[in-house]
């Protein structure tokens, strides 16, 4: 089975801190590591059991700390292991395997100098190079273990020594000896040793202290890591910089894989990363227990990667043919090479997929990564956890995070999988549509409404798989529900047929026919009672949730599937009820009944009203039992419930007050009805009848407008009532004793009588009506104002009242109502659809269970015949469902967002370009100045015989160095910069050091 990169469940102990050293044998079987004053060798074929120790073949003192081990990779000497330490001895051990046992032999033990730090073999294995605190580089012949040459003064404490591989050494030839050894001394430079001249041939300077370096296994390429968190790749033949990349933290150790296709980097931030060597993108990121001090791949086998930590633990990473999802860095994943993207997205052998890992992480960076993955590869939503079988949708629902659920649903509903995925034809045959519906339902029930609204607004149509284009007339029905995603017009519609003349087969009688493409909504179950009830029950949501193509098609199909017939029957029943009620109250109320009214007719009307009201009671009872918690969330249900109670109350009072025949079944006296109760009941029944008009296209949005207007003027009504109360009290105080209007009328017997109305402000009730008439209606009698005692004050109060209420307040009311109308008109289609959705839910809830399930099962998927372009892609006219103004508003919003995004991106690119340009210009200028300073100091030392240790010159040198260190722009030293970028050619300045050897000063 293909396995990914994964850590082994074991920990090896080693030396703590910087004295830890590890080395693999050339075949990758043995791993040698330092352990205080000993060296332990373990066998990877025996689960890393210890098979040999240095203390078995030589005596080690307690203070003899082993600091570096190095296996030889040269042919013929790959069984040899070199060891150096603080005791100053260079020890060489030979390992041999015989009859399944490991035998070691001490070949040499030579004292070099105290405090040795590093050792390395020459590419051909003929020379051992070692050094340490004494700043001397020692070279020994590996045959006699005698001095190969005199020690070389490096000028600093030797920190690390590495050598070119034998493969690269043999391919290049004799010239390779000039750069086959590299040395770091704890400074900001890496020295290259020429083995033939036994001198430093070049120095590569860096911005910060060089902490590690390693050669490529097959090429004359050196990788250098420094304290500035940068890794630089240098071509030693062309003397040029090939590439550089940044990591998180100072670089402590680096290592190439045996094939050279990866490079591993360990930092002091407790992480190590694996980068491909083509684009140098981080493809794996593993968190360590502490700082990574050393690492090395296991020879030619490349089965393992050993990592040594500062706390003395060594972890073994087992390498596999696949990348591990757990170790993929979430930041920068979109910049991966294409092969790496496909591998980590679709070929994870175990555990969660990359998309699931981003979801489980939950950070902002991981969600951005997930969004980028879905945007670039929408089919990644089909991935799942190969260990548990849990898909992305189940993971999103379990996390209970709406932004993640929205992220997963988007590529399923917006057509990304249909238009860009190679798996789009099989999407509807999987469980993805059902999983998507369940996720959307959970999003509606348990999360803010804006997420579900965005998903529904993005939902679009998908082409029905394997369905040919259809010929249909303009008058044909182009929308339909079905229990399957397959073509529901397959047997009824005419397929498009080509004749031998390659023209479409249209007859003369079918000139009005058009060619349309069968399309279907990607999610099933959008027309179920539970789903629609959940949509209507979402808090703090208006009609915008229905302002989309999907819900427009769903509601249209359901309405035509038989629900409209329920509505027509219910509407007819309400018309009959209202007719009976009008005649009943007119004949039974005490204010309108006549003696001549037939008691038999009144009795029939009374019981007709009661029987129809019983039917309404049953309807509401069924709706209540079906919807329960959602029932009283609708204002219309509350009104119907009040109407039922009031009708029962009035009818019961009328029947019970007619007690002449001691029977409630028949009325003999029909004029006992309670007038106030009849008025209140009639008003509520009027509102109920108006609610029934929602089912008609021409009146549905008008009902919504009236309801929205009443909602919007709530605050205004409170203000008006407060103002009216104040002016009512004021006018009563001023006009309480002013009599009403008097008229002379002729009564019987031709007698003239002075008929006077009651005082308009004589009491509070009259004062309220009079104030309303005066300020709202603008109707008043001038004589009332002039008969008051305080004429001036009355006039002032009158002017203020008329101005404040009749002019200002009523005009404000008109503006509020106009704004309400604009909002309703802007979303007129969405408002009409919401009202229709409420009616559909009402009638679905009161249907017999079998009938409702039949409708829901026959309308699981919703289909439509749509136009297509020349390439066969669907042309969806969103304005069909949305109002024109609203569609234009959305288009303008999308254009604004896109323009803002493009502008921000352009500004960011411009800023980066200007920053790079200014940085380069400043670096070049400062480099030139400091080079001149350096040359001036050098000339002063050479021609004027002035020692560089004099105070003035030393101060000048220190000042120049301080300037270089304090620069905020990248600057690598005083020496000449010969590696500007990848396009520049290498060059060098040749000077002589104190020993007279030629040296190349390289700054990168």
């Amino acid at each position: 089975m293909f396995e990914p990169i994964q850590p082994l469940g074991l920990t090896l102990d080693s030396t703590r801190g910087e004295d830890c050293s590890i080395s693999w044998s050339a075949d990758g079987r043995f791993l040698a590591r330092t352990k205080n004053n000993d060296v332990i060798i373990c066998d990877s074929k025996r689960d890393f059991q210890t098979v040999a120790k240095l203390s078995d073949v030589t005596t080690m003192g307690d203070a003899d700390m082993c600091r570096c081990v190095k296996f030889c990779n040269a042919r013929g000497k790959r069984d040899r292991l070199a060891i150096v330490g603080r005791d100053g001895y260079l020890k060489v051990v030979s390992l041999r395997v015989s009859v399944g046992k490991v035998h070691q032999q001490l070949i040499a033990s030579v004292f070099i100098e105290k405090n040795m730090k590093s050792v390395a073999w020459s590419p051909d294995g003929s020379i051992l190079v070692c050094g340490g605190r004494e700043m001397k580089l020692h070279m020994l012949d590996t045959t006699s273990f005698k001095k190969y040459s005199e020690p070389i003064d490096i000028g600093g404490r030797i920190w690390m020594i590495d050598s070119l591989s034998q493969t690269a050494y043999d391919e290049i030839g004799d010239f390779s000896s000039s750069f086959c050894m590299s040395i770091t001394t704890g400074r900001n430079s890496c020295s290259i040793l020429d083995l033939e001249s036994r001198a430093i041939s070049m120095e590569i300077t860096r911005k910060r202290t060089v902490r590690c370096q390693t050669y490529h296994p097959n090429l004359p390429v050196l990788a250098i890591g420094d304290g500035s968190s940068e890794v630089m790749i240098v071509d030693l033949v062309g003397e040029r910089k090939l590439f550089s990349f940044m990591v998180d933290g100072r670089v402590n150790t680096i290592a190439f894989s045996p094939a050279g296709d990866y490079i591993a980097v360990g930092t002091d931030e407790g992480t190590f990363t694996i980068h491909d060597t083509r684009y140098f993108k981080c493809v794996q990121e593993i968190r360590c227990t502490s700082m990574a001090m050393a690492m090395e791949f296991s020879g030619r086998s490349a089965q393992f990667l050993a990592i040594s930590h500062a706390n003395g633990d060594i972890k073994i990473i087992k390498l596999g043919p696949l990348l591990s999802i757990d170790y993929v860095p979430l930041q920068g994943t979109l910049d991966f090479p294409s092969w790496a993207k496909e591998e980590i997205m679709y070929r994870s052998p175990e555990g969660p997929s990359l998309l699931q890992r981003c979801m489980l992480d939950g950070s902002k960076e991981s969600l951005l990564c997930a969004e980028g993955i879905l945007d670039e590869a929408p089919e990644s939503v089909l991935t799942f956890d190969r260990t548990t079988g849990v898909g992305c949708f189940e993971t999103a629902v379990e996390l209970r995070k709406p932004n993640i659920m929205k992220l997963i649903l988007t590529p399923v509903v917006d057509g990304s999988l249909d238009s860009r995925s190679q798996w789009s034809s099989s999407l509807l045959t999987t469980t993805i549509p059902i999983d998507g519906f369940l996720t959307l339902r959970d999003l509606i029930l348990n999360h803010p409404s804006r997420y579900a609204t965005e998903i529904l607004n993005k939902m679009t149509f998908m082409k029905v798989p394997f369905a040919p284009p259809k010929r249909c007339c303009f008058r044909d029905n182009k929308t339909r529900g079905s229990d399957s995603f397959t073509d529901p017009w397959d047997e009824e519609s005419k397929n498009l047929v080509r004749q031998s003349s390659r023209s479409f087969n249209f007859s003369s009688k079918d000139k009005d026919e058009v060619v349309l493409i069968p399309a279907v909504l990607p999610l099933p179950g959008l027309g179920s009672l539970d789903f629609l009830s959940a949509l209507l029950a979402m808090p703090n949501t208006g009609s915008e949730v229905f302002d989309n193509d999907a819900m427009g098609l769903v509601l249209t199909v359901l309405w035509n599937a038989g629900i409209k017939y329920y509505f027509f029957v219910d509407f007819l029943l309400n018309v009959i009820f209202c007719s009976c009620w009008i005649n009943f109250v007119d004949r039974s109320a005490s204010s309108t009944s006549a003696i001549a009214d037939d008691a038999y007719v009144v009795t029939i009307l009374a019981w007709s009203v009661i029987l129809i009201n019983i039917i309404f009671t049953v309807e509401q009872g069924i709706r209540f039992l079906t919807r329960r918690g959602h029932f009283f969330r609708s204002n219309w249900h509350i009104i119907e419930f009040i109407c039922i109670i009031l009708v029962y109350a009035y009818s019961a009072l009328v029947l019970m007050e007619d007690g002449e025949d001691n029977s409630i079944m028949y009325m003999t006296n029909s004029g006992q009805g309670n007038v106030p109760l009849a008025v209140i009941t009639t008003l509520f029944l009027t509102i109920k009848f108006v609610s029934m008009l929602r089912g008609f296209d021409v009146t549905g949005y008008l009902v919504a407008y009236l309801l929205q207007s009443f909602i919007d003027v709530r605050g205004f009504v409170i203000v008006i009532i407060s103002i009216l109360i104040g002016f009512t009290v004021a006018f009563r105080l001023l006009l309480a004793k002013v009599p009403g209007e008097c008229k002379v009328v002729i009564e019987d017997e031709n007698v003239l009588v002075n008929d006077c109305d009651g005082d308009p402000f004589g009491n509070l009730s009259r004062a309220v009506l009079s104030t309303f008439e005066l300020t709202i209606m603008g109707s008043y009698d001038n004589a009332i104002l002039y008969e008051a005692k305080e004429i001036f004050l009355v006039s002032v109060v009158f002017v203020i009242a008329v101005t404040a209420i009749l002019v200002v307040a009523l005009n404000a009311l008109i503006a509020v109502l106009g704004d309400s109308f604009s909002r309703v008109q802007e979303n007129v289609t969405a408002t009409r659809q919401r009202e229709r959705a409420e009616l559909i839910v009402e009638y679905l809830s009161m249907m017999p269970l079998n009938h409702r399930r039949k409708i829901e099962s026959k309308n699981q998927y919703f289909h439509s015949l749509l136009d297509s372009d020349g390439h066969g892609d669907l042309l969806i006219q969103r304005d069909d469902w949305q109002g024109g103004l609203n569609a234009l508003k959305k288009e303008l919003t999308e254009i604004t967002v896109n323009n803002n995004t493009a502008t921000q991106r352009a500004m960011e690119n411009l800023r980066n370009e200007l920053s790079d340009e200014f940085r380069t210009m400043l670096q070049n200028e400062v480099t030139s100045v400091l080079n001149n300073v350096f040359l001036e100091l050098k000339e002063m030392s050479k021609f004027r015989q002035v020692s560089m240790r004099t105070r003035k010159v030393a101060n000048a040198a220190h000042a120049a160095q301080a300037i270089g260190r304090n620069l905020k722009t990248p600057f690598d030293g005083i020496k000449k910069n010969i590696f500007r970028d990848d396009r520049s050619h290498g060059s060098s300045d040749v000077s002589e050091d104190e020993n007279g050897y030629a040296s190349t000063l390289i700054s990168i």
Side-chain angles (χ1 to χ4, degrees):
M1 184 180 72
F2 291 108
E3 295 183 350
I5 299 174
Q6 56 184 322
L8 296 182
L10 57 89
T11 300
L12 306 178
D13 55 343
S14 65
T15 308
R16 292 176 175 267
E18 61 185 21
D19 288 337
C20 175
S21 178
I22 56 177
S23 180
W24 288 92
S25 60
D27 59 358
R29 177 174 180 178
F30 299 106
L31 173 64
R33 69 183 190 274
T34 59
K35 180 66 170 82
N36 298 327
N37 62 341
D38 202 356
V39 175
I40 300 176
I41 302 171
C42 56
D43 190 351
S44 63
K45 291 186 177 180
R46 301 180 182 178
D47 296 330
F48 292 91
Q49 294 181 1
T50 301
V51 295
K53 294 182 179 181
L54 179 62
S55 58
D56 295 337
V57 295
T58 183
T59 302
M60 304 293 294
D62 294 338
D64 297 339
M65 181 73 70
C66 295
R67 307 184 70 183
C68 184
V69 293
K70 185 75 70 173
F71 272 102
C72 182
N73 291 322
R75 288 184 292 271
K77 299 181 180 179
R78 292 176 176 171
D79 60 336
R80 297 189 177 184
L81 175 67
I83 307 162
V84 296
R86 292 181 181 177
D87 60 352
Y89 281 89
L90 168 65
K91 300 178 179 66
V92 180
V93 177
S94 174
L95 293 179
R96 297 183 183 276
V97 181
S98 176
V99 195
K101 294 183 179 181
V102 179
H103 303 275
Q104 65 172 333
Q105 178 184 358
L106 182 64
I107 298 178
S109 179
V110 181
F111 179 80
I112 305 297
E113 65 181 18
K114 287 288 187 178
N115 296 315
M116 299 289 287
K117 173 58 180 174
S118 183
V119 63
W121 299 82
S122 63
D124 57 359
S126 61
I127 301 174
L128 268 172
V129 182
C130 57
R133 183 178 295 180
E134 301 300 326
M135 307 182 188
K136 301 290 184 182
L137 189 66
H138 302 271
M139 292 188 290
L140 286 80
D141 183 270
T142 57
T143 302
S144 60
F145 294 99
K146 294 182 179 180
K147 291 183 179 181
Y148 180 76
S149 67
E150 293 297 325
I152 303 174
D153 188 2
I154 299 300
R157 297 180 180 180
I158 296 175
W159 179 266
M160 182 180 294
I161 306 173
D162 197 25
S163 62
L164 187 68
S165 66
Q166 188 175 18
T167 302
Y169 183 83
D170 294 339
E171 289 182 356
I172 298 175
D174 296 338
F175 178 67
S176 61
S177 63
S178 62
F179 51 76
C180 64
M181 304 291 291
S182 64
I183 304 148
T184 60
T185 58
R187 298 179 179 178
N188 64 334
S189 64
C190 177
S191 303
I192 307 300
L193 178 66
D194 187 343
L195 278 182
E196 288 189 359
S197 62
R198 296 179 293 279
I200 301 301
S201 61
M202 67 178 72
E203 286 186 359
I204 304 175
T205 62
R206 300 296 296 130
K207 292 176 288 186
R208 301 288 294 276
T209 301
V210 176
R211 302 167 67 90
C212 55
Q213 86 273 340
T214 185
Y215 280 92
H216 191 277
N218 303 314
L219 300 172
V221 170
L222 183 67
I224 303 173
D226 58 29
S228 64
S229 306
E230 183 179 10
V231 177
M232 185 179 66
I233 312 299
V234 180
D235 177 12
L236 297 176
V237 175
E239 295 185 350
R240 63 191 180 94
K241 169 185 173 181
L242 295 178
F243 199 86
S244 65
F245 61 93
M246 304 297 294
V247 294
D248 295 332
R250 296 181 298 178
V251 182
N252 282 343
T253 177
I254 52 178
F256 279 105
S257 63
D261 50 353
Y262 293 99
I263 181 173
V265 181
T267 67
D268 59 1
E269 294 293 332
T271 60
F272 87 86
T273 54
I274 300 178
H275 306 252
D276 74 305
T277 53
R278 183 176 181 182
Y279 302 100
F280 293 95
K281 299 296 183 182
C282 176
V283 295
Q284 298 281 259
E285 181 180 83
I286 303 177
R287 179 65 59 177
C288 305
T289 56
S290 63
M291 290 190 297
M293 301 304 298
M295 69 170 62
E296 190 169 345
F297 285 91
S298 59
R300 295 190 306 271
S301 65
Q303 292 183 349
F304 304 100
L305 175 64
I307 306 172
S308 175
H309 300 88
N311 60 1
D313 294 338
I314 294 180
K315 300 291 185 181
I316 307 298
I317 306 297
K318 184 179 180 182
L319 305 177
L322 298 177
L323 300 176
S324 173
I325 300 299
D326 294 334
Y327 298 147
V328 172
L330 298 181
Q331 188 173 3
T333 303
L334 301 179
D335 297 330
F336 273 22
S338 58
W339 66 267
K341 288 182 183 179
E342 293 181 0
E343 182 172 311
I344 61 179
M345 287 182 187
Y346 310 122
R347 299 191 180 97
S348 57
E350 59 183 11
S353 64
L354 177 62
L355 184 59
Q356 287 177 307
R357 187 196 163 200
C358 294
M359 295 160 56
L360 293 171
D361 185 89
S363 63
K364 181 179 179 181
E365 293 76 11
S366 63
L367 293 183
L368 291 175
C369 176
E371 184 178 1
I373 292 172
L374 289 173
D375 183 64
E376 185 172 339
E379 60 271 13
S380 60
V381 75
L382 305 175
T383 58
F384 58 93
D385 191 327
R386 295 183 184 271
T387 303
T388 62
V390 175
C392 292
F393 290 98
E394 291 90 338
T395 303
V397 174
E398 291 175 358
L399 291 175
R400 315 298 298 174
K401 295 182 178 179
N403 51 350
I404 294 179
M405 299 168 72
K406 171 191 166 186
L407 194 66
I408 291 298
L409 276 173
T410 299
V412 178
V413 302
D414 67 356
S416 299
L417 286 173
D418 181 45
S419 59
R420 294 164 50 191
S421 173
Q422 57 183 344
W423 298 340
S424 60
S425 60
S426 62
L427 173 64
L428 293 172
T429 62
T430 66
T431 61
I432 296 299
I434 298 177
D435 293 338
F437 168 74
L438 295 177
T439 305
L440 177 59
R441 184 174 178 273
D442 187 89
L443 195 64
I444 293 172
L445 291 174
N446 303 307
H447 300 286
S449 60
R450 67 177 184 275
Y451 295 101
T453 301
E454 292 180 13
I455 291 297
L456 290 174
N457 287 335
K458 292 180 180 179
M459 188 177 296
T460 186
F461 293 92
M462 297 175 57
K463 290 190 293 185
V464 176
F466 314 111
K470 305 294 179 183
R471 291 168 47 193
C472 60
C473 299
F474 289 104
R475 61 182 177 273
D476 292 341
N477 183 21
K478 300 180 181 61
T479 59
R480 181 168 297 185
S482 173
D483 58 353
S484 173
F485 63 86
T486 56
D487 184 8
W489 293 280
D490 190 26
E491 298 180 356
E492 301 178 11
S493 216
K494 293 173 285 186
N495 293 333
L496 191 62
V497 182
R498 288 182 180 271
Q499 302 296 323
S500 58
S501 61
R502 296 187 178 181
S503 60
F504 295 120
N505 184 22
F506 288 109
S507 61
S508 58
K509 64 180 180 179
D510 295 332
K511 290 184 179 180
D512 61 340
E513 289 184 346
V514 292
V515 178
L516 301 176
I517 304 296
V520 62
L521 291 178
L523 300 184
L526 298 178
S528 63
L529 175 61
D530 291 341
F531 182 79
L532 294 176
S533 299
L535 276 183
L536 293 172
M538 284 194 302
N540 301 324
T541 181
S543 59
E544 63 274 4
V545 72
F546 296 94
D547 193 11
N548 53 80
D549 296 350
M551 296 313 301
L553 174 62
V554 168
L555 297 175
T556 300
V557 171
L558 288 177
W559 186 256
N560 295 325
I563 295 179
K564 64 180 179 181
Y565 301 114
Y566 279 85
F567 167 73
F568 291 146
V569 171
D570 194 22
F571 181 77
L572 180 60
L573 191 61
N574 274 272
V575 171
I576 296 174
F577 176 78
C578 289
S579 300
C580 294
W581 173 260
I582 293 172
N583 285 277
F584 174 55
V585 296
D586 186 66
R587 295 172 181 267
S588 63
S590 60
S591 60
T592 58
S593 64
I595 300 176
D597 288 339
D598 190 350
Y600 178 75
V601 174
V602 176
T603 304
I604 294 177
L605 290 174
W607 285 107
S608 298
V609 168
I610 292 174
L611 290 177
I612 298 176
N613 201 51
I614 291 174
I615 297 176
F616 293 153
T617 305
V618 173
E619 287 183 1
Q620 296 303 315
I622 295 175
R623 290 171 181 171
F624 175 77
L625 294 176
T626 305
R627 301 189 64 187
R628 292 188 181 276
H630 302 297
F631 181 81
F632 288 108
R633 292 184 180 180
S634 173
N635 295 327
W636 302 120
H637 287 166
I638 297 175
I639 291 175
E640 289 192 21
F641 183 74
I642 295 174
C643 289
I644 291 173
I645 295 176
L646 291 177
V647 169
Y648 280 134
Y650 180 81
S651 301
L653 288 176
V654 170
L655 292 174
M656 288 187 298
E657 287 180 1
D658 180 28
E660 294 184 3
D661 57 354
N662 297 322
S663 174
I664 63 172
M665 301 299 297
Y666 182 77
M667 298 180 60
T668 57
N669 187 3
S670 60
Q672 303 298 322
N674 187 283
V675 174
L677 182 59
V679 171
I680 296 174
T681 306
T682 302
L683 294 178
F684 272 97
L685 289 175
T686 303
I687 299 175
K688 176 187 174 182
F689 188 81
V690 170
S691 69
M692 295 298 299
L693 300 178
R694 295 175 295 161
F696 299 99
D697 293 336
V698 295
T699 57
Y701 78 98
L702 294 176
V703 174
Y705 165 66
L706 292 177
L707 180 61
Q708 185 65 41
S709 298
F710 281 114
I711 294 175
D712 290 343
V713 300
R714 287 177 300 179
F716 182 85
V717 169
I718 296 175
V719 174
I720 286 294
I721 291 176
S722 301
I723 296 175
L724 285 176
I725 291 174
F727 281 108
T728 297
V729 174
F731 282 125
R732 172 161 168 70
L733 293 175
L734 294 171
L735 304 174
K737 296 182 180 181
V738 176
E741 182 180 1
C742 295
K743 297 180 181 179
V744 179
V745 297
I746 301 176
E747 292 186 351
D748 296 339
E749 298 179 358
N750 296 323
V751 178
L752 295 178
V753 180
N754 189 16
D755 186 13
C756 296
D757 296 334
D759 297 343
F761 296 94
N763 53 53
L764 283 176
S765 60
R766 288 187 178 183
V768 170
L769 293 177
S770 299
T771 304
F772 182 85
E773 217 176 276
L774 186 145
T775 55
I776 301 296
M777 307 302 297
S779 175
Y780 64 95
D781 185 8
N782 294 334
I784 297 177
L785 301 178
Y786 294 121
E787 292 179 4
K789 292 183 178 181
E790 304 289 341
I791 298 178
F792 177 77
L793 184 58
V794 169
S795 301
V796 172
V797 173
F798 171 75
V799 171
I800 295 175
V802 171
T803 304
I805 298 178
L806 189 61
V807 178
V808 178
L810 292 185
N811 279 281
L813 176 62
I814 295 173
V816 171
L817 294 177
D819 185 63
S820 300
F821 181 77
S822 299
R823 287 201 305 273
V824 174
Q825 185 66 25
E826 182 181 355
N827 300 290
V828 57
T829 305
T831 304
R832 184 186 296 118
Q833 290 178 176
R834 179 181 176 85
E835 299 299 330
R836 177 160 291 183
E838 291 183 354
L839 289 175
I840 290 174
V841 169
E842 289 179 8
Y843 292 115
L844 280 176
S845 62
M846 59 175 288
M847 284 182 184
L849 182 60
N850 294 334
H851 192 193
R852 184 175 76 238
R853 289 180 176 176
K854 183 179 180 180
I855 292 179
E856 291 178 347
S857 63
K858 286 186 177 181
N859 294 279
Q860 282 290 312
Y861 288 87
F862 296 89
H863 300 258
S864 179
L865 294 175
L866 301 177
D867 295 329
S868 64
D869 57 12
H871 302 285
D873 295 328
L874 297 178
L875 294 177
I876 301 173
Q877 300 294 332
R878 297 186 180 272
D879 294 349
D880 293 344
W881 302 113
Q882 300 174 358
L885 293 176
N886 197 30
L888 179 60
K889 178 182 177 181
K890 289 190 175 182
E891 291 181 3
L892 292 176
T893 303
E894 292 177 359
I895 293 174
T896 303
V897 172
N898 294 335
N899 289 339
N900 291 338
T901 304
T903 303
Q904 292 177 0
R905 188 181 298 110
M907 293 177 63
E908 184 68 22
N909 294 335
L910 179 61
R911 187 181 68 176
N912 293 336
E913 292 177 0
L914 292 176
S915 178
D916 293 340
E917 184 176 355
F918 289 148
R919 184 185 298 110
T920 302
M921 294 173 57
L922 182 58
Q923 178 182 354
N924 294 338
E925 292 293 335
V926 175
T927 301
S928 176
V929 172
L930 294 181
N931 280 335
N932 293 335
V933 173
F934 176 74
L935 293 177
E936 290 287 344
L937 295 176
K938 191 173 182 180
E939 290 295 328
M940 291 173 60
S941 175
K942 182 176 180 180
F943 295 105
R944 298 184 182 181
Q945 301 297 322
V946 178
S947 173
M948 293 296 293
R949 295 183 179 179
T950 61
R951 179 174 299 178
K952 294 182 178 181
V953 178
N955 291 338
H958 290 319
Q961 292 177 358
I963 294 174
R965 285 195 301 267
N966 294 331
L967 283 176
K968 294 183 179 180
T969 58
F971 177 69
D972 298 334
I974 301 178
K975 302 172 186 178
K976 186 175 181 181
N977 185 348
I978 66 171
F979 294 151
R980 300 288 182 182
D981 50 32
D982 293 345
R983 298 171 294 180
S984 63
H985 299 286
S987 61
S988 60
D989 289 345
V990 180
S991 61
E992 293 185 357
D993 56 14
E994 295 179 357
N995 297 326
Y997 298 113
S999 63
T1000 303
L1001 305 180
I1002 300 179
S1003 175
I1004 300 178

